[in-house]
Amino acid sequence: MALVKNFFIALSNNAFLNSAAKTIGPSLGANRVVAGNTIDDVIKTIKRLNEKNISVTVDNLGEFVNNERDAIEAKNNILKVMEAIHEHQLDAHMSVKLSQLGSEFDRGLSYRNIHQIVSKAEAYDHMHINIDTEKYDSLFDITQTLDRLKPEFNNVGTVIQAYLFKADVLIDKYPDLRLRLVKGAYKESPYIAYQTKEEIDENYIRLIEKRLLTTKNFTSIATHDHNIINHVKDFAEKHDIDKSKFEFQMLYGFRSELAEAIAKEGYNFTIYVPYGDDWFGYFMRRLAERPQNITLALKEFVKPKALISLASVTLGAVALFKILRRKH
């Protein structure tokens, strides 16, 4: 199982495969997990989900941003989505990666971009902006950025990854921010993160309980695991925690029927909706974090048209897999 996870994470980090996959996304089944390439596409998806009493957080997909032009373009795309959400008066907000805004090569540029986004969001009916966590190396930039933003704004939050040993410290550091709690989707060193599913699940549940008991701010619980969802429901009822204090989150395209059922029960529910043609890295990390997602992909890949398209990225994938096998 670890080898499979490492394989998909390696694919997600490969710039060549990410670039090659942009032109063949629909034939590989990307439209099952990504809400199209345009703002019109994502607005239609938000409206459809809102009609089912489901909120949305939008991710403008982008990987490997390494120059100012691309970082500013990403910022402008995010602002355009926010404007469209505001104009249509939809129940939605944005999830933003600092690396897409330039943090990996110019922290000053990244901060200027995120400051403009959060400021504009505040003007748009206090729209929430979530700063997504990425690999562990980005955590310092994220916390530094949050510490600069939160004295000025209260419509910004971030994600806590339960597999990190220091997740407790982060929960304690930001009791006043809206937080999303996740298990974690990157490969990290055993020196900084739990490695087994059992350890991660145990810590995830413990962090959820701690957060719900110790803060009055809103908490997003992002998981497709129905056992954890049921545990949270029981825990909230037992401790008289109002449903208005938390929500469940899932990814677009995964376990949709369960998501709709939970929303019908009266729980706050949000779907994480990515859009854009830079879908490959995102999709590979989804396969890495939940092996059951592979079944969904195979349903598309086995189609003849998809197999022809998949051939253009297979050679690179196989080479990476062989390298990983040698390391194990």
Side-chain angles (χ1 to χ4, degrees):
M1 191 62 68
L3 182 59
V4 172
K5 179 176 181 178
N6 294 346
F7 172 61
F8 284 113
I9 290 176
L11 295 183
S12 76
N13 291 327
N14 186 280
F16 170 76
L17 295 179
N18 273 268
S19 178
K22 286 183 179 181
T23 60
I24 56 176
S27 62
L28 285 179
N31 56 349
R32 296 285 295 273
V33 295
V34 176
N37 292 338
T38 68
I39 293 177
D40 285 342
D41 291 334
V42 78
I43 291 300
K44 290 177 183 177
T45 299
I46 297 171
K47 287 182 177 180
R48 177 171 54 82
L49 291 170
N50 281 178
E51 289 172 357
K52 299 176 180 180
N53 202 32
I54 293 175
S55 182
V56 169
T57 182
V58 180
D59 176 12
N60 173 60
L61 291 171
E63 303 275 343
F64 306 105
V65 173
N66 54 21
N67 62 75
E68 182 175 356
R69 181 194 64 191
D70 289 348
I72 292 176
E73 181 181 1
K75 175 202 68 178
N76 289 337
N77 286 338
I78 291 167
L79 291 174
K80 289 175 183 177
V81 177
M82 290 165 51
E83 181 179 12
I85 291 171
H86 178 69
E87 286 182 353
H88 290 273
Q89 290 296 291
L90 300 176
D91 182 7
H93 64 273
M94 297 299 299
S95 288
V96 180
K97 290 180 173 59
L98 293 184
S99 63
Q100 191 181 37
L101 301 178
S103 64
E104 295 190 348
F105 64 92
D106 188 337
R107 290 175 178 170
L109 171 65
S110 171
Y111 183 76
R112 292 192 297 274
N113 283 337
I114 190 64
H115 187 278
Q116 185 175 349
I117 289 169
V118 175
S119 179
K120 180 61 69 172
E122 186 178 51
Y124 287 155
D125 301 324
H126 209 65
M127 182 187 297
H128 181 65
I129 299 297
N130 186 83
I131 299 178
D132 279 353
T133 47
E134 304 178 64
K135 56 185 182 295
Y136 183 78
D137 291 345
S138 70
L139 188 57
F140 176 79
D141 289 336
I142 292 169
T143 56
Q144 287 264 304
T145 299
L146 280 172
D147 291 345
R148 292 181 67 183
L149 289 171
K150 67 188 189 77
E152 185 177 355
F153 304 102
N154 60 8
N155 62 318
V156 62
T158 192
V159 180
I160 306 298
Q161 296 168 306
Y163 63 9
L164 295 180
F165 295 154
K166 68 181 301 180
D168 262 305
V169 176
L170 296 171
I171 291 274
D172 293 338
K173 181 178 175 64
Y174 298 118
D176 53 335
L177 295 184
R178 175 175 175 174
L179 297 179
R180 178 196 300 153
L181 307 186
V182 303
K183 294 183 184 181
Y186 295 82
K187 178 174 173 55
E188 301 293 359
S189 163
Y191 296 105
I192 63 174
Y194 296 107
Q195 301 295 303
T196 70
K197 180 183 184 302
E198 292 74 20
E199 289 176 319
I200 295 170
D201 284 357
E202 181 180 351
N203 201 47
Y204 186 49
I205 291 171
R206 187 182 62 80
L207 290 172
I208 292 170
E209 293 178 352
K210 175 180 179 178
R211 169 75 178 182
L212 292 179
L213 289 176
T214 60
T215 183
K216 295 181 180 180
N217 213 309
F218 198 71
T219 302
S220 300
I221 300 163
T223 181
H224 301 101
D225 189 330
H226 58 275
N227 292 318
I228 292 179
I229 291 170
N230 290 334
H231 177 88
V232 172
K233 290 178 181 178
D234 292 341
F235 181 83
E237 183 176 356
K238 177 180 178 180
H239 293 273
D240 198 27
I241 298 170
D242 195 271
K243 291 179 180 178
S244 65
K245 299 299 183 182
F246 67 96
E247 70 174 5
F248 294 107
Q249 283 195 12
M250 289 185 186
L251 301 170
Y252 180 67
F254 297 110
R255 307 208 73 175
S256 301
E257 292 182 1
L258 177 59
E260 293 175 19
I262 295 171
K264 286 180 180 178
E265 293 175 6
Y267 290 94
N268 293 310
F269 207 99
T270 291
I271 297 291
Y272 187 100
V273 175
Y275 88 100
D277 61 3
D278 205 353
W279 63 275
F280 186 78
Y282 166 83
F283 193 21
M284 292 303 104
R285 285 192 292 276
R286 302 296 75 79
L287 298 182
E289 68 186 357
R290 191 170 186 268
Q292 296 94 318
N293 293 340
I294 297 173
T295 302
L296 172 65
L298 289 177
K299 287 180 181 178
E300 293 295 329
F301 291 169
V302 296
K303 296 177 182 178
K305 181 179 178 182
L307 288 174
I308 293 172
S309 299
L310 186 60
S312 65
V313 297
T314 297
L315 289 177
V318 170
L320 280 170
F321 188 66
K322 288 180 177 179
I323 291 172
L324 285 167
R325 288 188 66 185
R326 287 199 296 269
K327 289 182 177 179
H328 287 260

